[in-house]
């Protein structure tokens, strides 16, 4: 992967991969909506945790994640999704979005991508999403994540 501050040229794209990436970008709104719906179906409490504005933000974030996955597919570099996860994890923590919701959004996007990509094109997108999921799971373990805590462990740590 080239680094922009070093003045290196951008990564080359494969024409077949570029076509798949173009399909992802062209359908990103539909993919984002399907990804959010899949995440809410997998975790029904998501609708209670987020208000209307929070759900709209998650929908926009799913579209941005689809754009990043398209870039990963075009250049065949899944590390770009990992970088995106690192950049956005602090924002989600500030907005009090649990990292589990972001993992669910990534899994929903993986499901939604099957409607746009051919079976042979899904592997690079899946690798990119796996990289983003690894980052979000790592940030999940840090203190301050907005997930529901185990009541018994909270009682032990705080004392009773």
């Amino acid at each position: 992967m080239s680094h922009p501050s070093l003045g290196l040229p951008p990564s080359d794209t494969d024409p077949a991969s570029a076509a798949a990436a173009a399909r992802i970008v062209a359908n990103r709104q539909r993919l984002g909506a399907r990804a959010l719906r899949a995440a809410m179906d997998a975790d029904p409490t998501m609708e209670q945790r987020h208000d209307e504005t929070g759900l709209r933000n998650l929908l926009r974030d799913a579209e941005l994640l689809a754009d990043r996955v398209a870039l990963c597919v075009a250049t065949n570099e899944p590390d770009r999704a990992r970088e995106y996860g690192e950049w956005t994890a602090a924002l989600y923590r500030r907005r009090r979005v649990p990292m589990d919701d972001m993992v669910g959004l990534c899994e929903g996007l993986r499901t939604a991508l099957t409607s746009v990509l051919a079976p042979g094109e899904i592997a690079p997108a899946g690798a990119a999403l796996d990289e983003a999921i690894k980052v979000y799971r790592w940030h999940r373990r840090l203190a301050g994540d907005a997930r529901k805590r185990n009541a018994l462990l909270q009682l032990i740590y705080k004392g009773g």
Side-chain angles (χ1 to χ4, degrees):
M1 174 188 303
S2 64
H3 196 278
S5 67
L6 297 178
L8 299 175
S11 301
D12 291 334
T13 59
D14 178 32
S17 299
R23 284 196 310 273
I24 293 172
V25 170
N27 294 306
R28 70 175 172 236
Q29 291 178 339
R30 186 170 56 94
L31 290 171
R34 282 186 175 186
L36 183 60
R37 176 48 53 197
M40 288 191 302
D41 288 344
D43 184 11
T45 63
M46 187 184 252
E47 289 183 79
Q48 286 87 33
R49 281 195 310 271
H50 301 288
D51 59 351
E52 181 73 24
T53 305
L55 291 175
R56 285 180 189 259
N57 284 338
L58 286 176
L59 178 61
R60 187 200 60 211
D61 295 338
E63 293 172 9
L64 292 174
L65 185 61
D67 278 341
R68 182 53 63 151
V69 168
L71 182 63
C72 293
V73 168
T75 60
N76 200 17
E77 293 179 355
D79 290 342
R80 293 176 183 242
R82 180 185 46 79
E83 289 174 351
Y84 180 78
E86 289 289 346
W87 297 336
T88 58
L91 173 71
Y92 296 132
R93 291 167 80 62
R94 194 173 327 126
R95 288 190 335 201
R96 308 261 321 141
V97 175
M99 293 294 121
D100 288 340
D101 288 353
M102 295 312 301
V103 170
L105 201 60
C106 289
E107 291 296 340
L109 186 59
R110 183 188 316 263
T111 304
L113 283 171
T114 59
S115 67
V116 175
L117 298 178
E121 299 169 336
I122 293 177
L129 288 170
D130 287 338
E131 290 294 320
I133 287 171
K134 274 196 274 188
V135 169
Y136 291 136
R137 285 198 175 137
W138 187 87
H139 281 282
R140 180 186 183 272
R141 70 182 183 86
L142 298 175
D145 189 32
R147 68 181 184 277
K148 185 167 171 56
R149 307 287 196 263
N150 185 330
L152 178 63
L153 290 178
Q154 288 296 105
L155 178 69
I156 290 171
Y157 288 133
K158 289 189 177 185

